[in-house]
Amino acid sequence: MIESLDGIFETVNYKQSTGLKLYDNTQYEDYPMHWHPAIEIVMPVENGYKMVFSNTEVELREGDICIVCPGCVHSIIAPPTGRRIIFQPNTTTLRFMREVEILFSIMSPYCVITPEEYPDIHDTIKEMLINIREEYMENNPFSEVNIYSQLLKMLVLIGTNYSNNNVNTDYNPIVKEEYAPKFMEICDYINAHCSEDLKLDDIADMSGFSKFYFERLFKQFTGTSFYKYVNQKRIAKAQELLVEPGVSVTDVALNCGFTSISSFIRMFKIQKGCTPTEFKSMYWSDTKKA
């Protein structure tokens, strides 16, 4: 399945003249830790499938859908027999839309859509993924447009349902809907300024809420705490910088808003399961060592 792997970086070989790659996969083959800029949507069709992330393992049953966010380091353990859809669309051109970028941020590193946790949308997304497979295989005129339109509909369904299913809160969902535009702006600001010294008090003032109320609403909207969200964005930026030749770990830490190398290394290992140096070494193949 992985056609081009340098260290732990996978170059997705998209279908000719498209930004799409889909496997109707039946291979009995394990795949090592790797990452790629594209999202990856995996659904077992026959038998299960195991996805391994830096700190967790996810056992997918038939019909469960795992969405791996861009830049997430993961590996795959295949059963002796089975079949699964593995869909890798290039979403770079979609991320100018702030809703898409923020959805990837709050889902990161992955999201699993099951019929138990997402009863309102699971069957629809499953049907969309099957339709995408058929459209991809048949290669009809305007198939790429059709597939991307279904992908966008899928992201809309997930985005409008994700927070409700992943945040344990006493707040009425109506409150979240009322303040959603404001928190979209807050997330936009954090994404753009994550390398700066962002303080909870200052961002709460920007929102117009008290610090306590802002913390509660921010977690309701994003599914994570303010500082954890900031660190996720910093580590995502660090991951992109670490693969550049000639860039030191110290430079990356400072350019991503960390005040000490030790805190950067600790946070990187928590999120990625390896140190920045190990990540950099795994990325570069013997012929591409920096």
Side-chain angles (χ1 to χ4, degrees):
M1 183 186 72
I2 300 180
E3 298 173 352
S4 300
L5 189 65
D6 289 321
I8 63 170
F9 178 78
E10 178 188 0
T11 299
V12 179
N13 296 324
Y14 298 113
K15 188 176 184 180
Q16 186 175 9
S17 301
T18 76
L20 304 170
K21 187 68 176 183
L22 186 143
Y23 301 89
D24 192 350
N25 180 269
T26 58
Q27 293 176 315
Y28 174 37
E29 182 180 357
D30 296 339
Y31 303 102
M33 281 291 184
H34 64 282
W35 69 279
H36 36 71
I39 65 169
E40 183 170 351
I41 304 176
V42 180
M43 184 179 75
V45 178
E46 299 172 5
N47 210 338
Y49 213 41
K50 181 185 286 188
M51 309 288 294
V52 181
F53 300 93
S54 58
N55 296 314
T56 56
E57 294 184 359
V58 177
E59 296 280 357
L60 300 178
R61 306 163 302 176
E62 290 183 10
D64 288 346
I65 302 162
C66 182
I67 301 172
V68 183
C69 293
C72 172
V73 180
H74 61 287
S75 64
I76 301 173
I77 300 175
T81 60
R83 180 184 177 193
R84 72 285 308 178
I85 296 172
I86 301 175
F87 178 42
Q88 294 176 300
N90 185 342
T91 53
T92 303
T93 56
L94 303 181
R95 297 178 72 171
F96 76 93
M97 293 183 283
R98 64 177 187 171
E99 290 92 344
V100 173
E101 180 65 21
I102 291 171
L103 176 60
F104 290 161
S105 296
I106 63 178
M107 284 197 306
S108 183
Y110 65 90
C111 172
V112 179
I113 308 295
T114 67
E116 294 81 9
E117 294 186 9
Y118 293 86
D120 295 334
I121 65 171
H122 173 269
D123 288 349
T124 302
I125 293 178
K126 178 180 176 180
E127 183 178 355
M128 285 180 174
L129 197 52
I130 292 172
N131 289 340
I132 286 173
R133 178 187 63 187
E134 299 307 313
E135 187 71 28
Y136 183 91
M137 297 301 177
E138 292 174 6
N139 199 29
N140 294 319
F142 293 96
S143 63
E144 186 178 21
V145 175
N146 189 359
I147 288 171
Y148 269 109
S149 68
Q150 293 190 69
L151 174 63
L152 284 171
K153 290 177 183 178
M154 189 183 300
L155 294 177
V156 169
L157 286 174
I158 295 169
T160 54
N161 282 267
Y162 181 81
S163 292
N164 287 340
N165 287 73
N166 289 273
V167 181
N168 183 14
T169 178
D170 295 329
Y171 284 98
N172 191 312
I174 296 176
V175 175
K176 183 179 63 183
E177 293 173 7
E178 179 183 352
Y179 296 136
K182 183 182 292 290
F183 280 89
M184 292 286 284
E185 293 178 4
I186 293 294
C187 288
D188 276 347
Y189 184 86
I190 294 172
N191 295 349
H193 299 271
C194 63
S195 60
E196 300 174 13
D197 184 18
L198 299 180
K199 297 185 183 302
L200 176 59
D201 289 343
D202 295 336
I203 303 301
D205 286 343
M206 287 177 53
S207 73
F209 298 119
S210 69
K211 175 181 174 180
F212 174 77
Y213 195 53
F214 172 79
E215 282 187 288
R216 298 290 297 273
L217 287 178
F218 187 86
K219 186 168 185 179
Q220 181 188 15
F221 181 77
T222 64
T224 190
S225 69
F226 168 76
Y227 283 114
K228 186 174 181 181
Y229 183 89
V230 171
N231 281 327
Q232 286 175 349
K233 301 308 296 181
R234 287 174 173 169
I235 295 301
K237 180 178 180 180
Q239 181 174 306
E240 294 177 359
L241 293 177
L242 283 169
V243 302
E244 296 294 329
V247 179
S248 71
V249 171
T250 300
D251 289 340
V252 171
L254 295 177
N255 287 329
C256 293
F258 290 93
T259 56
S260 72
I261 299 299
S262 60
S263 62
F264 170 55
I265 293 173
R266 182 175 64 254
M267 187 57 60
F268 195 95
K269 189 167 186 177
I270 288 173
Q271 293 194 28
K272 298 300 178 182
C274 62
T275 68
T277 300
E278 290 169 343
F279 180 87
K280 192 174 181 67
S281 297
M282 287 187 293
Y283 171 78
W284 293 102
S285 64
D286 291 337
T287 59
K288 293 176 62 178
K289 291 285 186 181

